Amino acid sequence: MRHSGGCHCGNIRVQLELSRPPDQMPLRSCSCSFCRAHGTRTLSDRNGLAEITVADWSLAEKYRFGSRTADYVLCRRCGVYIGAVCETGSGLRAVINTNCLDDRAAFNQPPAAPDYDGETTDVRLSRRATNWMPVTLR
Ligand SMILES: [Zn+2]
């Protein structure tokens, strides 16, 4: 189950290997103000693999906010939000914004809207270590 995508101008590319078909992938659109503003629909497949390739890092932003424990990767040139990356006890992990995938329409589960407000940083990092997907950044 391979999927690819990236930002609009082509500076950032994404490759995904997922363990189940897109119409069975749970999606999330959490209640934080960043997700509200971007209309994100994110996935994380702990049994999958993600690869984010950036042609020119001077045109990519690693935006941090809130607990400042994850990098929200955006293209500075075209503004597309790719996903969030976090260093955890089980290595580098990510969630990917399905809206940046070429076959975004195939991901048709209604997104859940969890509220992570009030979560401690320790709990947040261990949740990501378990639930976010392994990623390599290039
Ligand atoms: Zn771009």
Side-chain angles (χ1 to χ4, degrees):
M1 303 281 176
R2 291 185 151 274
H3 305 270
S4 58
C7 74
H8 191 261
C9 72
N11 183 44
I12 307 176
R13 298 297 302 160
V14 180
Q15 302 286 339
L16 291 183
E17 275 181 46
L18 300 180
S19 62
R20 52 177 130 174
D23 60 357
Q24 292 170 30
M25 270 317 295
L27 304 182
R28 287 192 306 279
S29 190
C30 96
S31 56
C32 82
S33 51
F34 182 90
C35 282
R36 296 298 91 239
H38 278 278
T40 62
R41 296 186 309 138
T42 59
L43 67 78
S44 61
D45 181 348
R46 69 177 86 171
N47 300 312
L49 276 177
E51 186 177 296
I52 299 174
T53 309
V54 180
D56 182 351
W57 271 106
S58 74
L59 293 175
E61 181 71 32
K62 289 175 160 180
Y63 177 59
R64 291 195 160 194
F65 63 95
S67 63
R68 301 185 174 274
T69 48
D71 290 320
Y72 288 73
V73 179
L74 299 126
C75 181
R76 286 184 186 173
R77 186 158 53 192
C78 69
V80 170
Y81 168 54
I82 302 295
V85 175
C86 180
E87 192 62 61
T88 74
S90 61
L92 200 60
R93 298 274 179 148
V95 292
I96 301 296
N97 182 19
T98 54
N99 291 333
C100 79
L101 299 175
D102 297 339
D103 59 348
R104 59 183 73 75
F107 294 81
N108 56 10
Q109 289 280 325
D115 187 342
Y116 299 120
D117 262 6
E119 189 178 49
T120 67
T121 300
D122 280 354
V123 170
R124 181 160 303 192
L125 289 173
S126 66
R127 172 172 58 76
R128 289 171 177 166
T130 306
N131 292 339
W132 285 23
M133 65 193 297
V135 64
T136 50
L137 268 186
R138 294 176 205 286

